[in-house]
Amino acid sequence: MSFRQIRHFVAVAEELHFGRAAKRLNMAQPPLSQSIRRLEADLGVELLARSRKGVELTAAGEIFLREARQALIHADLARKLALREAQKAQEVRVGFIGPALYRLLPPLLVAFTRDNPAIDVRLYEERTPALVKAIVQGETDVGFVTAGSQEIEDCDTLIVERATIVAAIPADWPIVSRASLTLAELADYPLILPPAQNHATEPRQVLKMFGSAGGRLPNVIQESTHSNTTLSLVGAGVGFSIITGTARLANPANVRFVPLTDHMPSSDWALTMIWRDAQLTRAGRRFVDFTRNYVADRPELMSFAIP
């Protein structure tokens, strides 16, 4: 049994048609049929039920398909990791969400680069679901994402920063002079949220906070993918947003940050570093260990509230 045969089988099993699978694999149909027959002979089981009506997976075929997909994923990951190690790539690829830039990431990178001048840090901003996928597939070494996201269950994790959730409000709104606000008071105003399809948990968590506080949900007037875009929209008077208090450090124009008096488990925000220990290169491991020590030496990173 070879990986080529496994790839052939996965294509046929997903297409349930030898002709379409052959086209997808860029090969002729007869050699594809022969490859599947040899695979079945090697295994001693029938994976596909063939009839005039078409092709169907047998019970054994369904189980084999599930494991075959995983085998191909791991084979591709092994190839990527081996190539990187063979090339002795002295770089670490770091993905992050926007709020990581407000307090943690810039000084961390300065300190890491100072102590590890031979290692290049490649940075890119991305949404949490895409970051997790990139790490699982070996495309990214380390990510900084919102804690509590269900997608990070398959990764190693370390909380590196905590802050209080606050309301970001246009500076010309009448309520901006208030010392604090409740979510129920904000429900009458237009809200800016991340797109649900791009952030698997964050929009639902914000709306759940409003439901728990007073039962009424604000009108979501605009969706914004990145936090800096959100702050620009708030500054333009489009609406308000619920955001980490560290965003105040960005000093956005025409935006005021007001504390919330609601006390709920979801009223705090945390930033998590994620990685997969078994997939780390030497440079990646150096970055993870450095960050762990950096955070441990700075307990102030575990709290932030608007003065």
Side-chain angles (χ1 to χ4, degrees):
M1 181 173 60
S2 67
F3 277 108
R4 183 174 63 178
Q5 288 175 313
I6 293 175
R7 289 190 179 91
H8 291 173
F9 168 74
V10 170
V12 175
E14 291 179 347
E15 298 290 344
L16 292 178
H17 191 281
F18 277 91
R20 289 195 298 269
K23 184 177 181 180
R24 168 174 157 181
L25 294 165
N26 196 27
M27 64 184 297
Q29 183 173 332
L32 176 59
S33 299
Q34 294 169 12
S35 176
I36 300 300
R37 288 292 189 189
R38 285 194 296 270
L39 175 61
E40 291 176 317
D42 290 342
L43 294 174
V45 296
E46 186 181 57
L47 301 174
L48 298 169
R50 304 158 178 85
S51 67
R52 292 182 178 179
K53 295 181 179 180
V55 180
E56 293 183 356
L57 284 168
T58 64
E62 291 179 354
I63 293 175
F64 189 78
L65 174 61
R66 182 184 64 210
E67 300 302 324
R69 284 171 170 156
Q70 290 299 313
L72 293 179
I73 290 172
H74 288 300
D76 184 60
L77 177 60
R79 178 186 63 82
K80 292 174 183 175
L81 296 178
L83 283 174
R84 290 198 67 203
E85 193 63 30
Q87 294 166 353
K88 299 187 183 300
Q90 284 296 298
E91 69 172 29
V92 56
R93 293 168 297 188
V94 178
F96 62 93
I97 58 172
L101 293 174
Y102 297 142
R103 180 169 56 157
L104 172 76
L105 201 52
L108 168 64
L109 293 175
V110 170
F112 179 79
T113 302
R114 182 190 61 232
D115 289 2
N116 299 273
I119 298 178
D120 292 328
V121 180
R122 306 292 182 181
L123 292 172
Y124 68 96
E125 184 175 358
E126 189 54 272
R127 301 177 299 272
T128 292
L131 270 177
V132 175
K133 182 178 179 182
I135 286 176
V136 170
Q137 293 181 347
E139 302 291 344
T140 300
D141 298 302
V142 181
F144 292 92
V145 303
T146 301
S149 300
Q150 296 177 350
E151 302 93 333
I152 69 176
E153 293 177 354
D154 292 333
C155 298
D156 297 286
T157 64
L158 175 69
I159 292 180
V160 293
E161 183 181 355
R162 294 185 186 275
T164 302
I165 292 293
V166 300
I169 299 174
D172 59 354
W173 281 12
I175 57 173
V176 80
S177 60
R178 297 279 300 278
S180 63
L181 291 166
T182 67
L183 290 171
E185 290 171 323
L186 286 168
D188 292 329
Y189 295 88
L191 172 65
I192 302 169
L193 273 183
Q197 67 271 25
N198 292 337
H199 297 71
T201 59
E202 186 178 344
R204 291 197 299 270
Q205 288 175 343
V206 171
L207 294 177
K208 184 178 179 180
M209 288 171 60
F210 276 95
S212 300
R216 281 189 306 117
L217 300 181
N219 176 38
V220 179
I221 194 171
Q222 182 67 50
E223 293 184 338
S224 172
T225 300
H226 297 294
S227 56
N228 287 335
T229 304
T230 298
L231 291 174
S232 295
L233 292 171
V234 172
V238 174
F240 78 96
S241 187
I242 302 300
I243 199 166
T244 168
T246 52
R248 183 178 65 85
L249 300 176
N251 295 316
N254 302 316
V255 178
R256 297 294 181 268
F257 297 93
V258 181
L260 298 170
T261 59
D262 303 85
H263 296 288
M264 295 176 293
S266 56
S267 62
D268 291 329
W269 173 86
L271 185 71
T272 297
M273 179 173 68
I274 62 172
W275 71 97
R276 297 190 93 180
D277 200 65
Q279 297 174 196
L280 284 179
T281 62
R282 283 172 289 183
R285 189 171 302 281
R286 181 77 63 84
F287 185 87
V288 168
D289 291 342
F290 185 92
T291 302
R292 192 191 307 274
N293 293 330
Y294 181 92
V295 172
D297 291 340
R298 293 163 176 79
E300 67 272 14
L301 288 170
M302 291 300 112
S303 64
F304 185 95
I306 295 180

